[in-house]
Amino acid sequence: MATVLSVFKPTGELAQAITNFQPRAAQQQMAEAIAATVKKKGQLVVEAETGTGKTFAYLAPVLLGKGKAIISTGTKNLQEQLFHRDLPTLKKVLAPEKVVALLKGRSNYLCLHRMEQAVQQAGQFNKDIQSQLITVKRWSTSTRSGDMGELNALPEDASVLPQVTSTQDNCLGRDCPVYEDCHLVKARKEAMEADIVVVNHHLFFADMALKDTGFGELIPSVDTVVFDEAHQIPDIASQYFGETVSSRQLSELCEELQRLCMTELKDLSQGSAMARTLLQTLKDWRLLFPRDPMRGNWRDWRKKPEVAEVAERVQERLTLLTEVMKTAIGRNKDLDNLHERAEQHLYIWRQLMDVDRTGYSFWFETTPRHVSLHQTPLSVAKTFGGYIKRNKMSWVFTSATLAVNGQFDYFTKRLGIEEADTLLLESPFDFASQAKLCLPRYLPEANDPNRHQMLTEIAEQCVQVNRGGTFLLFTSHRMLQQMATILRDRLDRDILVQGESGKTELLETFTKKGNAVLLGTSSFWEGVDVRGEALRCVIIDKLPFASPDDPLLNARVEDARLRGVDAFSTIQLPQAIIALKQGAGRLIRDKDDSGVLIVCDSRLVTRQYGKQFLSSLPAMSRTRDLNQALEFLAQVAEKDETKNEELTSS
């Protein structure tokens, strides 16, 4: 029988499963530490740098261990990669008898009831939605899982999706007429019966916060929980321990009620009229905020007379709408559900109007059409830490970026993890020879409005020398757009810009082209794995300190000040260091990778805290001379060309 120790030997099970498997000491060390944690029902925090092989390092002890396990990943893409590729590879040789399941959030599954409703009300939708609805209806007869991710014929943001999937708000639960055939119910049942369940962090915390009816039984039934990409957890947990209400939610409620009143409840004309009135008020509500999308401090905006007036009007009309629906309760299950949603939205709205409560950040966020209000706890340490103490199971937290200056305090304190063992595993890659870090001289200050001009020149020089692909990572959309416009005029390479198509499509195009230039903001700083010649240069515009306008950051800074704690060194700096580590980690993804990382921020050398950033980055060779970086890039290009010629001739 396989043991954790034997799995990673040159003749072990991994060598049988993976062609050209190379044993790695750090990978084995991590696997053994996790096995010990699982055995003693303990807690373990592991930073495993790029190249450690952390996925197999936690999968092996989980597969060999007893009891049920949950593996939670940072994104749906990582979740699917784990379930469809990594887990089957190792399961086949270690534990073929174990049952594994993939579970996504409810909005990822086709809702048969809402699809039939949409078909009946098709005449009320525009032609695009009607066409997409036909595609969904046709697919629904052949799908087994109901996972909308299977339906490649639809774009990721297809307008029909909200009409054919459910939310916690509009799901009828056991009252649904097609409950027994529900794809979500079947997926959850499979998860309850499986030995290993793969979820993502959002789903995990939705369950933990008991906000997703019918799924709250999954976590208490497991013996081991592994969080991959664990650096994301504190911020995601905050979202689920807070409250939110948006004009989008209220608008969707009104529109659903109007459709119901035009089909099954034609005599409830007062409900339709009240919904119409509330919809108009919500449009007035959006007009009170700037046209461009933004985030802001809701406490401050709540004090504005015009905002307070329209907020009161929204509350009054939502109250009246709730009372009108109450008169028809019991006549229609969908109406009963709408009434429950309206009451819940009203309750949260009233909470969000009371901004004098302490311990929370009150903030708002706008899109071109909607406004959402949020109440977020400043700390989840007490809630999450208490949960870990009460539930005697094994907890493993791992990521390539958890430590700051070799210490885990920033991560563990935010989550209230007090008794965890910690392990820091360095990358096996030879960064000193594989990569060069350049901090160019004579850069404009970080707040210089014209700094994009010099950044454009640096990018242009790098692309001209670079045979492979180039990433430009930004801390602001404004800078991204400025440089995208200029580079398209100056470069003859393919310029790919975040937002012009989906992230997955952009990355596929970037990798396929092999020498493209991709410009992205926060979502491209992590979870991106491009290897080889397709990515030889990463340029970062400046240190990724959170925006000073971020309301949640401001609330945490103010709270730290009141507690007599230095907010910069305990909150802002560690957060930025971890973000920079993530961005830098895009460059070297394999032992044969090589390239140049350029960070265009003079604060790395002019400010005392710059040393903390540099000590947290991989041990690349460094230079202040851009020409040296360009020479290194030229050498890499020459090697790539020679290698390609050899492959062609052979």
Side-chain angles (χ1 to χ4, degrees):
M1 180 180 174
T3 64
V4 170
L5 191 62
S6 71
V7 168
F8 299 93
K9 288 185 175 180
T11 56
E13 286 76 12
L14 262 180
Q16 297 172 31
I18 302 171
T19 306
N20 299 322
F21 170 73
Q22 296 289 327
R24 285 172 259 188
Q27 186 178 49
Q28 183 172 324
Q29 188 181 350
M30 179 174 171
E32 290 175 345
I34 292 173
T37 300
V38 170
K39 187 175 180 180
K40 70 179 183 181
K41 299 285 184 186
Q43 305 156 22
L44 178 67
V45 179
V46 187
E47 174 170 292
E49 292 183 357
T50 307
T52 304
K54 63 182 170 67
T55 303
F56 287 155
Y58 64 69
L59 284 181
V62 165
L63 283 163
L64 292 173
K66 296 178 181 178
K68 188 182 182 83
I70 286 179
I71 299 172
S72 182
T73 68
T75 63
K76 283 189 290 186
N77 287 342
L78 289 172
Q79 189 183 359
E80 291 186 347
Q81 175 186 311
L82 190 64
F83 180 77
H84 293 295
R85 191 183 75 184
D86 300 330
L87 246 176
T89 300
L90 211 49
K91 175 180 174 293
K92 184 177 179 180
V93 293
L94 291 186
E97 76 288 351
K98 286 208 169 182
V99 178
V100 299
L102 176 69
L103 187 61
K104 298 181 180 179
R106 66 164 68 243
S107 63
N108 293 279
Y109 296 95
L110 174 68
C111 174
L112 298 170
H113 175 59
R114 285 180 59 78
M115 180 187 69
E116 291 305 328
Q117 271 191 319
V119 169
Q120 292 170 19
Q121 300 165 358
Q124 298 177 41
F125 298 120
N126 62 40
K127 289 184 178 180
D128 283 344
I129 294 182
Q130 289 179 18
S131 174
Q132 292 172 354
L133 191 55
I134 292 170
T135 302
V136 172
K137 178 69 174 174
R138 190 180 299 126
W139 168 75
S140 71
T141 62
S142 60
T143 181
R144 190 191 76 82
S145 70
D147 184 345
M148 300 301 296
E150 295 176 0
L151 195 49
N152 296 324
L154 291 183
E156 289 182 4
D157 58 350
S159 303
V160 76
L161 292 178
Q163 310 303 330
V164 297
T165 58
S166 72
T167 64
Q168 177 201 337
D169 290 336
N170 61 32
C171 176
L172 297 178
R174 292 186 181 275
D175 293 330
C176 180
V178 288
Y179 181 80
E180 296 302 323
D181 297 318
C182 176
H183 291 297
L184 179 61
V185 170
K186 289 178 180 177
R188 287 175 173 170
K189 187 173 185 294
E190 288 178 8
M192 292 296 292
E193 295 172 352
D195 299 300
I196 299 172
V197 187
V198 182
V199 302
N200 61 58
H201 301 337
H202 285 279
L203 184 56
F204 182 93
F205 284 100
D207 178 22
M208 182 179 159
L210 298 178
K211 286 189 172 182
D212 210 35
T213 308
F215 177 42
E217 305 89 6
L218 184 60
I219 296 175
S221 69
V222 305
D223 301 280
T224 301
V225 178
V226 178
F227 290 106
D228 197 350
E229 300 298 318
H231 63 279
Q232 300 176 5
I233 292 175
D235 289 333
I236 292 175
S238 293
Q239 296 175 32
Y240 285 92
F241 297 143
E243 298 286 3
T244 300
V245 68
S246 69
S247 60
R248 180 189 295 277
Q249 289 174 306
L250 298 177
S251 297
E252 287 176 353
L253 184 144
C254 291
E255 289 163 359
E256 287 178 45
L257 179 60
Q258 284 181 314
R259 287 197 289 271
L260 206 56
C261 290
M262 292 174 68
T263 52
E264 299 177 48
L265 296 170
K266 293 181 179 178
D267 59 328
L268 196 63
S269 57
Q270 191 179 2
S272 184
M274 284 306 308
R276 193 161 49 248
T277 304
L278 178 54
L279 277 170
Q280 183 55 55
T281 308
L282 291 169
K283 290 176 182 176
D284 296 340
W285 170 244
R286 175 62 185 90
L287 291 172
L288 292 171
F289 298 85
R291 181 177 179 179
D292 292 336
M294 66 169 293
R295 281 183 168 193
N297 186 315
W298 173 232
R299 275 196 176 103
D300 294 341
W301 280 68
R302 175 78 175 88
K303 296 172 185 174
K304 297 185 178 186
E306 65 276 21
V307 172
E309 180 188 343
V310 180
E312 182 64 28
R313 213 185 313 154
V314 170
Q315 184 168 314
E316 286 175 0
R317 289 175 179 174
L318 181 56
T319 303
L320 286 171
L321 183 67
T322 305
E323 290 172 356
V324 168
M325 285 192 282
K326 191 175 182 179
T327 64
I329 283 180
R331 292 180 53 191
N332 179 283
K333 287 180 180 177
D334 289 304
L335 178 76
D336 293 351
N337 174 264
L338 286 173
H339 178 255
E340 285 182 25
R341 285 164 59 187
E343 285 199 321
Q344 181 66 13
H345 291 328
L346 182 58
Y347 172 76
I348 297 173
W349 184 272
R350 286 171 174 156
Q351 271 197 312
L352 287 160
M353 294 303 111
D354 180 11
V355 295
D356 294 328
R357 287 171 294 126
T358 57
Y360 294 93
S361 167
F362 291 91
W363 55 286
F364 68 86
E365 187 170 25
T366 67
T367 65
R369 295 181 60 192
H370 292 287
V371 182
S372 56
L373 303 181
H374 304 266
Q375 167 190 299
T376 304
L378 296 180
S379 171
V380 298
K382 186 175 180 181
T383 306
F384 188 72
Y387 189 88
I388 286 181
K389 285 180 180 177
R390 290 192 302 274
N391 290 273
K392 297 300 180 183
M393 56 181 79
S394 311
W395 298 85
V396 177
F397 305 85
T398 185
S399 170
T401 54
L402 290 178
V404 176
N405 295 326
Q407 302 297 316
F408 291 92
D409 294 4
Y410 176 68
F411 177 77
T412 56
K413 286 180 179 178
R414 291 180 76 192
L415 290 179
I417 307 171
E418 299 173 355
E419 301 171 2
D421 295 324
T422 59
L423 184 62
L424 201 160
L425 299 169
E426 294 184 358
S427 172
F429 298 155
D430 182 5
F431 284 101
S433 62
Q434 288 181 249
K436 187 172 287 289
L437 168 62
C438 179
L439 314 173
R441 292 192 179 94
Y442 315 121
L443 289 170
E445 292 298 319
N447 59 357
D448 188 322
N450 297 314
R451 71 192 306 270
H452 65 281
Q453 295 173 358
M454 180 167 279
L455 296 192
T456 303
E457 291 175 12
I458 291 172
E460 192 175 3
Q461 291 179 68
C462 290
V463 172
Q464 287 172 348
V465 172
N466 184 16
R467 175 189 168 91
T470 305
F471 264 8
L472 273 70
L473 300 179
F474 297 90
T475 56
S476 76
H477 286 278
R478 182 173 173 272
M479 178 69 83
L480 181 152
Q481 295 299 335
Q482 280 182 318
M483 288 190 61
T485 301
I486 298 172
L487 290 175
R488 278 188 164 138
D489 288 337
R490 295 192 186 181
L491 298 176
D492 59 359
R493 301 277 182 98
D494 289 289
I495 308 293
L496 308 174
V497 180
Q498 178 181 338
E500 294 184 352
S501 61
K503 180 178 178 180
T504 302
E505 185 181 341
L506 274 176
L507 287 171
E508 285 177 354
T509 304
F510 179 81
T511 305
K512 187 177 179 181
K513 294 287 183 184
N515 67 347
V517 179
L518 190 151
L519 289 75
T521 56
S522 55
S523 62
F524 283 87
W525 285 62
E526 59 180 279
V528 173
D529 189 7
V530 179
R531 304 184 181 210
E533 192 174 346
L535 180 59
R536 290 303 195 207
C537 180
V538 173
I539 302 172
I540 293 175
D541 77 326
K542 64 178 178 179
L543 297 179
F545 285 106
S547 168
D549 297 329
D550 186 316
L552 184 54
L553 173 67
N554 283 334
R556 285 178 175 151
V557 167
E558 177 64 13
D559 179 66
R561 188 186 65 79
L562 293 173
R563 290 186 287 113
V565 175
D566 178 23
F568 181 76
S569 63
T570 60
I571 298 173
Q572 293 160 286
L573 183 58
Q575 185 177 322
I577 288 173
I578 287 176
L580 184 65
K581 286 172 70 174
Q582 281 288 338
R586 297 317 97 212
L587 181 63
I588 304 299
R589 307 298 301 173
D590 188 270
K591 65 181 179 64
D592 296 321
D593 272 354
S594 54
V596 168
L597 170 66
I598 301 177
V599 183
C600 301
D601 195 325
S602 58
R603 289 176 293 181
L604 277 171
V605 289
T606 61
R607 301 293 172 88
Q608 189 66 29
Y609 58 72
K611 295 177 183 177
Q612 295 187 49
F613 280 100
L614 293 173
S615 66
S616 293
L617 291 176
M620 304 176 183
S621 60
R622 297 175 188 169
T623 182
R624 298 289 320 276
D625 186 347
L626 181 62
N627 287 324
Q628 287 189 23
L630 295 173
E631 286 173 16
F632 187 90
L633 205 51
Q635 291 169 11
V636 172
E638 190 176 331
K639 288 177 184 176
D640 285 337
E641 188 171 0
T642 302
K643 183 179 178 181
N644 290 336
E645 287 175 355
E646 290 173 353
L647 288 172
T648 303
S649 61
S650 63

